[in-house]
């Protein structure tokens, strides 16, 4: 699996490269600034991009914007974004572009190698991954939305695990309930958020966007 990394801190950039190499990924290029992201992604067309939100020269959101721009050239490009802090705007903007696998992890999560590698693989496979700390903070902030307020405590818990990119089976295992019970909770969430039945997975992403927009 081919990966492009965009990270300005040399030690972290080298660390990410070593971790991914050790787990069988091929890091085809690792860049250190915003202007280099789009050319690298266009040149290599990787299976997944691991991108720091804030890159030189301005350290605002160059990494995120370059990755999203790359999707206009490479539709469906999976993007895993790394951030030092929880930024609700960045998470919402990333998830709003539903053109492929997406992930949002705090940089501290990289120290848990297994979780980081699992996130890269899930995003590359087209899934959605949200850092548990990001989810908990966003859920804590977004309590005022009328429709979200209608969710029960257990439904909000299920929604948070959906935001982490967990499958129904994984949610059931985490909550020690059956998959049937999880499906019932998810259907209740969709209903309360006003989402009509659909044959695809877009409703899961839309449900996450609902609380990001809280």
């Amino acid at each position: 699996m081919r990966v492009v990394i965009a990270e300005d801190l040399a030690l972290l950039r080298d660390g990410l490269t070593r971790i991914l190499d050790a787990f069988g990924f091929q890091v085809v290029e690792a860049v250190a600034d915003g202007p280099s992201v789009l050319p690298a992604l266009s040149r290599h067309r990787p299976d997944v991009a691991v991108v720091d939100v804030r890159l030189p020269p301005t350290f605002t959101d160059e990494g995120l914007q370059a990755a999203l721009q790359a999707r206009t050239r490479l539709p469906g490009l999976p993007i895993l974004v790394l951030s030092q802090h929880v930024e609700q705007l960045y998470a919402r903007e990333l998830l709003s572009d539903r053109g492929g696998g997406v992930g949002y992890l705090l940089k501290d999560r990289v120290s848990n190698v297994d979780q980081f590698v699992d996130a890269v693989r899930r995003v590359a496979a087209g899934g959605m991954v949200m850092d548990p700390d990001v989810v908990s903070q966003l859920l804590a902030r977004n309590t005022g939305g009328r429709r979200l307020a209608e969710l029960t405590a257990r439904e909000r818990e299920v929604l948070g695990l959906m935001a982490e990119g967990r499958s129904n089976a994984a949610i059931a295992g985490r909550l020690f309930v059956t998959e049937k019970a999880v499906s019932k909770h998810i259907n209740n969430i969709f209903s309360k958020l006003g989402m009509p039945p659909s044959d695809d997975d877009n409703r899961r992403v839309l449900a996450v966007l609902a609380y990001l927009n809280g």
Side-chain angles (χ1 to χ4, degrees):
M1 189 178 296
R2 301 164 69 252
V3 185
V4 166
I5 295 173
E7 167 58 52
D8 63 297
L9 296 176
L11 287 177
L12 181 54
R13 188 170 63 250
D14 183 63
L16 293 173
T17 300
R18 290 175 181 270
I19 289 172
L20 293 174
D21 283 345
F23 281 82
F25 296 87
Q26 180 187 4
V27 178
V28 293
E29 189 168 354
V31 301
D33 58 68
S36 300
V37 176
L38 184 56
L41 294 176
S42 299
R43 182 163 53 249
H44 295 288
R45 298 176 177 265
D47 298 301
V48 61
V50 179
V51 182
D52 187 358
V53 168
R54 300 184 178 187
L55 292 171
T58 66
F59 293 97
T60 54
D61 63 349
E62 288 95 338
L64 175 63
Q65 293 305 325
L68 293 177
Q69 186 179 356
R71 276 193 164 173
T72 65
R73 301 186 184 183
L74 306 170
L77 172 69
I79 301 170
L80 175 60
V81 165
L82 303 179
S83 180
Q84 192 68 44
H85 308 287
V86 177
E87 298 282 0
Q88 182 172 346
L89 176 62
Y90 297 155
R92 184 169 62 242
E93 187 168 5
L94 179 67
L95 289 174
S96 294
D97 181 354
R98 301 193 298 275
V102 294
Y104 187 110
L105 289 184
L106 297 180
K107 286 187 176 181
D108 289 346
R109 195 66 54 187
V110 175
S111 62
N112 187 320
V113 173
D114 289 338
Q115 285 189 17
F116 170 66
V117 171
D118 178 61
V120 175
R121 286 179 173 149
R122 285 161 59 192
V123 170
M128 179 181 66
V129 175
M130 290 283 282
D131 191 290
D133 290 342
V134 173
V135 172
S136 63
Q137 290 192 44
L138 292 175
L139 282 172
R141 293 175 189 174
N142 297 328
T143 57
R146 179 180 61 81
R147 287 181 169 176
L148 286 176
E150 296 176 1
L151 301 182
T152 66
R154 177 50 64 106
E155 287 165 356
R156 291 179 66 84
E157 191 173 12
V158 170
L159 178 56
L161 292 170
M162 287 168 60
E164 292 178 23
R166 304 296 175 184
S167 66
N168 287 13
I171 294 173
R174 180 74 67 88
L175 300 181
F176 302 103
V177 298
T178 65
E179 286 190 52
K180 184 177 180 180
V182 171
S183 294
K184 182 178 179 180
H185 287 309
I186 291 175
N187 286 332
N188 287 340
I189 290 169
F190 291 153
S191 177
K192 291 178 180 180
L193 294 180
M195 297 175 186
S198 172
D199 292 331
D200 57 33
D201 291 332
N202 281 344
R203 288 196 302 170
R204 295 179 82 94
V205 178
L206 291 172
V208 174
L209 287 171
Y211 83 74
L212 287 177
N213 287 305

